[in-house]
Amino acid sequence: MNVSVESEEIRPERLRDTVHETIEGISKKVIGSRRVARFMFIALLSGNHILLEGVPGLAKTMLASEFARRLCMDFKRIQFTPDMLPSDITGSLVFNLEARQMEFRKGPVFANVLLADEINRTPPKVQSALLEAMEEKHVSVGGQIHPVPEPFFVIATQNPIEQEGTFPLAEALLDRFLFRYILTYPSREEEVQILRSLTLQEEDEAGLDAQKILAIRSMVKGVYASEEIMNYIVDIIRATRSHEMVFVGASPRTTAKYLMAAKANAMLSGREYVIPEDVRFMAKEMLNHRIVLKPEVLVDSDSDPYAPVMRTIESIISGVESPV
């Protein structure tokens, strides 16, 4: 992997140390967030987005804002509601009396890190406006295209319990999220640490800025993945379509996202090549929102609504031969 003199400060080994320091800083402020912060970095460095799912009070908003603050990037939050319009997030055309012409006023989507809070509480037309920004990296208003800032990283949240008055995300939108990370209640020790952390002093340290993130993204693309690794990823995706418990499997688009995510995880681990463990490490978060189980599987499920899909993913991974 070639690293220029200008990017010496973001060498792979230096990146690993910086990311670990940033994750540690986030985990001190948001107790129990070390693992999810790593997945957020993987999504960011591979040019993708992440969906956080969990009941209220699990610090999803705090995690997103702390993540953005540590990266020294512009952060905005949208609280989605049923009465929103697409212009509430993209911006709109307004008439400038002084200039006597229409001008575009940017909406909150124009940020490096965007927290889409309770994304399933807004109508599909608003979700589609966000989808355009996520996939195309721009928004269309008044027949004109306006690019969003780079990097552009969406952290969306949704509550899996309260479903009244919600609009379930379409498969096309769900597929745009690299991961659906399921947040659970903290352990007893972690809850004690939460109380202790209330007295900690604020830290002003920031590890990475937008320009460094963009440079690192280009470095991620250079991480080596062997033919065996690429075949391994393809076999896993194809296995989701033929598994006896799955009604609809993952799409071909998932394979490209999977490979880039595995490369990002390898870089965060201080390696310039992908190993099978990089692929297995993120299998559940990568696939749990991309496969649809057969109805009979869900009928026989236990009290944990996520258990059937997680067991199915484990079965798929164990059924695919891993390269040495």
Side-chain angles (χ1 to χ4, degrees):
M1 183 183 302
N2 296 324
V3 182
S4 64
V5 175
E6 291 80 1
S7 62
E8 183 179 356
E9 70 277 8
I10 50 174
R11 300 189 306 268
E13 58 270 21
R14 177 55 187 157
L15 167 65
R16 179 181 57 190
D17 296 338
T18 303
V19 169
H20 288 171
E21 291 168 4
T22 306
I23 291 176
E24 285 301 315
I26 295 173
S27 65
K28 289 179 181 178
K29 186 67 180 292
V30 186
I31 304 302
S33 63
R34 185 175 287 104
R35 189 174 189 272
V36 64
R38 183 183 182 91
F39 275 87
M40 293 168 75
F41 266 110
I42 293 173
L44 173 63
L45 297 180
S46 61
N48 289 284
H49 313 279
I50 189 168
L51 175 63
L52 305 179
E53 187 167 307
V55 298
L58 295 181
K60 297 185 291 292
T61 301
M62 183 179 181
L63 174 60
S65 60
E66 184 67 13
F67 183 85
R69 187 181 73 84
R70 295 275 174 174
L71 293 182
C72 236
M73 295 165 65
D74 184 29
F75 169 71
K76 291 181 182 177
R77 174 177 180 251
I78 303 176
Q79 179 63 55
F80 284 104
T81 57
D83 60 346
M84 290 185 69
L85 298 173
S87 59
D88 292 328
I89 66 170
T90 63
S92 58
L93 294 173
V94 298
F95 185 72
N96 188 321
L97 290 175
E98 294 182 359
R100 295 183 177 275
Q101 64 181 10
M102 302 295 290
E103 64 179 27
F104 177 62
R105 296 286 177 85
K106 294 181 178 180
V109 75
F110 290 89
N112 294 120
V113 180
L114 177 68
L115 172 59
D117 220 351
E118 296 187 289
I119 190 174
N120 59 332
R121 291 198 176 278
T122 199
K125 59 183 178 181
V126 181
Q127 296 175 359
S128 297
L130 180 61
L131 171 62
E132 180 186 10
M134 292 170 58
E135 186 67 15
E136 306 298 335
K137 308 301 182 184
H138 65 241
V139 298
S140 302
V141 179
Q144 295 184 341
I145 292 177
H146 304 274
V148 296
E150 281 289 345
F152 178 63
F153 180 48
V154 175
I155 306 171
T157 71
Q158 66 177 2
N159 178 0
I161 297 179
E162 299 177 5
Q163 298 300 321
E164 184 176 353
T166 62
F167 304 87
L169 298 181
E171 293 298 328
L173 183 55
L174 271 177
D175 196 44
R176 263 47 176 203
F177 290 102
L178 181 65
F179 302 124
R180 182 178 71 158
Y181 196 98
I182 310 301
L183 293 170
T184 58
Y185 287 115
S187 65
R188 183 183 185 280
E189 179 56 33
E190 287 174 336
E191 286 204 73
V192 173
Q193 291 181 28
I194 291 174
L195 298 182
R196 292 172 181 162
S197 68
L198 297 178
T199 60
L200 293 178
Q201 296 292 327
E202 290 284 343
E203 297 181 12
D204 296 325
E205 298 178 1
L208 301 166
D209 57 23
Q211 291 185 346
K212 288 182 180 179
I213 291 296
L214 292 177
I216 294 166
R217 280 185 177 180
S218 65
M219 293 167 60
V220 167
K221 295 179 181 179
V223 173
Y224 175 72
S226 65
E227 286 291 327
E228 290 79 6
I229 289 293
M230 289 189 280
N231 287 328
Y232 185 42
I233 292 174
V234 170
D235 289 342
I236 290 174
I237 299 303
R238 293 183 65 85
T240 66
R241 305 170 197 157
S242 58
H243 194 274
E244 58 182 358
M245 299 298 181
V246 178
F247 182 65
V248 178
S251 68
R253 178 167 47 203
T254 307
T255 55
K257 291 181 178 290
Y258 211 150
L259 178 61
M260 288 303 299
K263 288 185 174 185
N265 188 62
M267 174 170 279
L268 293 185
S269 300
R271 283 180 278 100
E272 297 184 5
Y273 54 90
V274 180
I275 62 175
E277 182 55 35
D278 292 318
V279 178
R280 292 190 291 268
F281 172 71
M282 60 190 70
K284 292 181 179 179
E285 288 77 11
M286 173 71 70
L287 299 175
N288 71 76
H289 58 302
R290 289 188 165 92
I291 62 176
V292 179
L293 300 183
K294 293 181 179 179
E296 56 267 29
V297 180
L298 299 176
V299 170
D300 297 334
S301 63
D302 47 29
S303 57
D304 183 359
Y306 303 111
V309 69
M310 297 306 180
R311 285 197 296 264
T312 301
I313 294 172
E314 290 176 357
S315 175
I316 291 171
I317 297 300
S318 63
V320 176
E321 184 178 358
S322 173
V324 178

